[in-house]
Amino acid sequence: MKIEIPVFNIESAILAAKNGADRIELCSGLVGGGVTPSKGAVDIARKKIDIPIHVMVRPREGDFLYSETEIEVMKNDIIYSKQVGIDGVVIGCLTPQGKVDVDLLNYLCDIAYPMQVTFHRVIDKTVDIFEAAESVLSTSCTRILTSGGYNTVTKGISNIEKLHNLFGDKIIIMPGGGVNVDNYLFFKDIGIKEIHFSARHEVDGKMVHRPTEPDFGLAGYFDDYCYTLPKESVIKTILEGINTKTGSSK
């Protein structure tokens, strides 16, 4: 079972790769759930990291119904990622009725080829995740990232198992959203091939001068003087368990 670690800054990407991640999902904008990272971050990550990198292609926070201009931005970000040697992109798009926008998804997949394409957790916001999975299957997407239609994989475990049983021989079903040291073995036991987890923790920065105003962070969520990194001990614990342990942690 392989592990993908989503990261929101270049130091996190380097740290995750150093500690045994099989793949990096490179994003920006943690508060909004992840948006496209800068071209600078994409370029430096590719130069410094020798494991596969998948880049989030999402032009803004909010919903997943995109304008023609936003689609042009996505197209350009996919093309740039391919030009610098990125291995895959992570995308998602819906119709106003909450179904997969298959036409747009096919268009973006064609641009991305031969990179891999992951359909991200927007599947969990569709009217029917099983119908949505069938729609994704009709495209050239490589995998589906899902928490089973709920906020966390713990609540969505039964749906994740059903998705894997129904479609796992045709597309990779990758659990993500709350995968941790308490539940990852369950996914190994049911034959899941990949998991997605951040192992994220907050790190205090090194600034000495710390005025209380202005506050640039989201009140109650982010401290202006802190940032996030993957927790090495969590990555190592899960890697060890994947390689040596059996038994359900459901």
Side-chain angles (χ1 to χ4, degrees):
M1 189 164 68
K2 295 183 177 181
I3 63 171
E4 175 182 270
I5 296 184
V7 298
F8 294 85
N9 55 65
I10 191 64
E11 294 300 329
S12 292
I14 293 169
L15 188 63
K18 176 183 174 183
N19 282 276
D22 294 295
R23 184 173 62 244
I24 297 298
E25 181 196 64
L26 184 62
C27 313
S28 183
L30 172 60
V31 176
V35 294
T36 306
S38 71
K39 289 184 176 180
V42 173
D43 186 48
I44 295 300
R46 182 68 290 166
K47 289 176 179 176
K48 289 185 175 290
I49 296 170
D50 60 4
I51 64 172
I53 299 172
H54 288 188
V55 168
M56 172 68 75
V57 176
R58 183 184 176 203
R60 57 162 170 78
E61 301 89 347
D63 66 28
F64 300 87
L65 180 64
Y66 297 116
S67 69
E68 289 185 9
T69 303
E70 289 169 334
I71 292 168
E72 282 297 304
V73 172
M74 297 170 78
K75 171 186 174 181
N76 287 350
D77 286 329
I78 292 170
I79 291 171
Y80 181 77
S81 295
K82 183 159 52 172
Q83 288 173 341
V84 298
I86 294 301
D87 304 276
V89 290
V90 183
I91 58 180
C93 46
L94 300 182
T95 69
Q97 293 75 33
K99 296 188 176 186
V100 174
D101 187 337
V102 175
D103 290 340
L104 176 54
L105 185 56
N106 271 319
Y107 172 72
L108 296 175
C109 284
D110 286 345
I111 296 168
Y113 182 82
M115 293 189 295
Q116 294 190 9
V117 177
T118 298
F119 193 84
H120 59 53
R121 281 185 64 199
V122 72
I123 195 168
D124 297 318
K125 286 186 171 291
T126 59
V127 293
D128 185 321
I129 62 172
F130 300 101
E131 178 186 284
E134 290 182 343
S135 295
V136 175
L137 272 173
S138 71
T139 73
S140 59
C141 282
T142 312
R143 66 184 51 76
I144 295 171
L145 172 63
T146 179
S147 55
Y150 292 90
N151 282 336
T152 68
V153 294
T154 301
K155 292 180 69 176
I157 272 178
S158 62
N159 280 342
I160 293 170
E161 184 172 13
K162 185 175 179 181
L163 283 167
H164 176 68
N165 290 339
L166 287 171
F167 308 115
D169 60 337
K170 303 180 183 71
I171 194 169
I172 297 168
I173 302 297
M174 181 170 64
V179 173
N180 55 43
V181 295
D182 296 320
N183 59 30
Y184 75 98
L185 285 179
F186 172 75
F187 299 114
K188 179 181 179 181
D189 290 347
I190 65 172
I192 290 289
K193 297 179 178 67
E194 301 179 359
I195 54 174
H196 170 104
F197 69 96
S198 66
R200 189 172 58 244
H201 74 302
E202 196 171 79
V203 176
D204 192 25
K206 297 180 180 179
M207 287 292 297
V208 175
H209 175 65
R210 299 189 178 198
T212 56
E213 293 188 16
D215 184 0
F216 296 155
L218 184 63
Y221 193 90
F222 268 130
D223 186 320
D224 281 346
Y225 304 102
C226 295
Y227 56 97
T228 63
L229 289 174
K231 195 166 187 177
E232 296 173 74
S233 60
V234 174
I235 299 173
K236 290 177 179 177
T237 296
I238 291 182
L239 274 172
E240 179 184 354
I242 288 172
N243 292 328
T244 64
K245 296 178 182 178
T246 60
S248 177
S249 292
K250 184 175 180 179

